[in-house]
Amino acid sequence: MTTAYEKLLEKNKSWANEQIKSDPDFFSRLSHIQTPEFLWIGCSDSRVPADKITGTQPGEIFVHRNIANLVVHTDINLLSVLEYAVEVLKVKHIIVCGHYGCGGIKAAMENHSLGIIDKWLRNIKDVYRIHQTEIDNKNNIEEKANRLTELNVREQIMNLAKTSIVQKSWKHDQRPLLHGWVYGLNDGVIKPVCEMGPGFEIDPIYKYDNL
Ligand code: CO
C-alpha cells in the first residue's frame, strides 16, 4: 500500500522519465538557465495551477502565489519576487490572476474574525470600500463576489504600477505589460479584465520623479 505522499514521489519518478524520453536535454538545459517571459501572481488555491491552466512548461513562468493574489506594498516576499523578475529575469509580462469562487474574497465580504488572516484580508475589504456602491448594487452575493474579484485584480495591477520597480522599468525599458485576469473554476476559462503598460498615466500621488 502506498500512502498519499509516497504516490507523489512515484508520480514524480515517472514524470521525470517521461520528460527525458520526449526531450533528452530537458533537465540539463533547464538546470543552467531560466528565461521566463512571464511573472504570474496568483491565488494559492490548489484549483488554479498557473502552468496547467496556461499550458506552459517548466521554465516558462516565474510564479508567486498568495491568498487572493494580493500585491501588498510592504510584502517583502512579493517585492523580492517582483524585483528579481523585472530586473534580473527581465520578464515582459506580469499577470495577476484571480479566480471566481475565491475563498479569500468571500471571507473578506463577511464579518467573522478568522485569526491572523484578518490582517491579510483587510486589503480586500479596502478594495470593497472603494467600490462599495457598484458592488452593493449587484443582485446577489455571488454577483457581488464576482465583481469584487474583478475589481480586486484591477486594484492589484494598480498596486504593481505604484511600485518604483515597475515605474523604473516602464521608464527605461518599456516593459513589463501588466495583465489582470480572472479564472473561472466552473469552465476553466480565463477572462482578461484589464491591462496597463509603459505610458500609462498613474495617479500623480504615486508617481516617482527620480527613477
Ligand atoms: Co482564491
Side-chain angles (χ1 to χ4, degrees):
M1 255 290 273
T2 44
T3 64
Y5 84 89
E6 282 169 338
K7 211 171 152 192
L8 297 185
L9 295 171
E10 278 178 15
K11 289 264 185 195
N12 165 257
K13 259 188 209 141
S14 52
W15 173 78
N17 286 334
E18 281 304 311
Q19 289 296 126
I20 289 173
K21 242 190 250 170
S22 62
D23 180 359
D25 297 331
F26 183 78
F27 293 109
S28 57
R29 200 171 58 241
L30 280 180
S31 60
H32 293 117
I33 194 166
Q34 63 163 340
T35 52
E37 267 184 56
F38 308 96
L39 165 61
W40 175 277
I41 300 171
C43 185
S44 299
D45 195 303
S46 63
R47 298 164 295 178
V48 195
D51 52 351
K52 274 248 162 102
I53 65 173
T54 56
T56 43
Q57 299 301 315
E60 291 189 67
I61 307 192
F62 200 61
V63 174
H64 180 83
R65 290 168 72 178
N66 61 40
I67 291 171
N69 41 271
L70 299 181
V71 176
V72 177
H73 69 96
T74 51
D75 180 358
I76 201 75
N77 183 349
L78 175 124
L79 292 173
S80 304
V81 168
L82 177 66
E83 187 183 71
Y84 186 75
V86 171
E87 295 188 3
V88 180
L89 297 174
K90 302 192 182 302
V91 295
K92 296 191 178 85
H93 304 272
I94 301 179
I95 296 152
V96 174
C97 189
H99 66 103
Y100 298 119
C102 183
I105 297 282
K106 276 186 201 147
M109 293 174 76
E110 291 170 358
N111 295 94
H112 312 296
S113 169
L114 301 167
I116 291 285
I117 198 173
D118 295 345
K119 279 76 176 156
W120 189 250
L121 299 179
R122 238 303 292 281
N123 295 290
I124 307 173
K125 284 185 181 288
D126 291 342
V127 178
Y128 191 173
R129 175 176 48 78
I130 296 167
H131 303 281
Q132 189 165 10
T133 317
E134 183 186 344
I135 292 167
D136 286 349
N137 273 336
K138 295 285 177 191
N139 293 320
N140 55 54
I141 189 73
E142 198 188 343
E143 281 183 23
K144 286 180 191 186
N146 287 352
R147 190 59 188 142
L148 180 55
T149 300
E150 294 166 359
L151 292 166
N152 180 53
V153 159
R154 199 174 78 192
E155 200 69 26
Q156 305 319 314
I157 289 290
M158 291 200 288
N159 285 343
L160 284 173
K162 290 171 189 169
T163 64
S164 57
I165 300 164
V166 167
Q167 287 184 29
K168 194 172 153 193
S169 184
W170 275 0
K171 187 175 174 190
H172 299 288
D173 222 7
Q174 300 304 306
R175 65 172 176 87
L177 202 50
L178 312 180
H179 310 265
W181 293 355
V182 179
Y183 172 79
L185 289 179
N186 299 335
D187 56 9
V189 175
I190 292 170
K191 175 182 165 185
V193 294
C194 67
E195 208 173 273
M196 269 175 222
F200 178 81
E201 279 305 315
I202 68 161
D203 186 330
I205 292 171
Y206 298 99
K207 200 167 174 177
Y208 298 108
D209 61 8
N210 62 332
L211 297 171

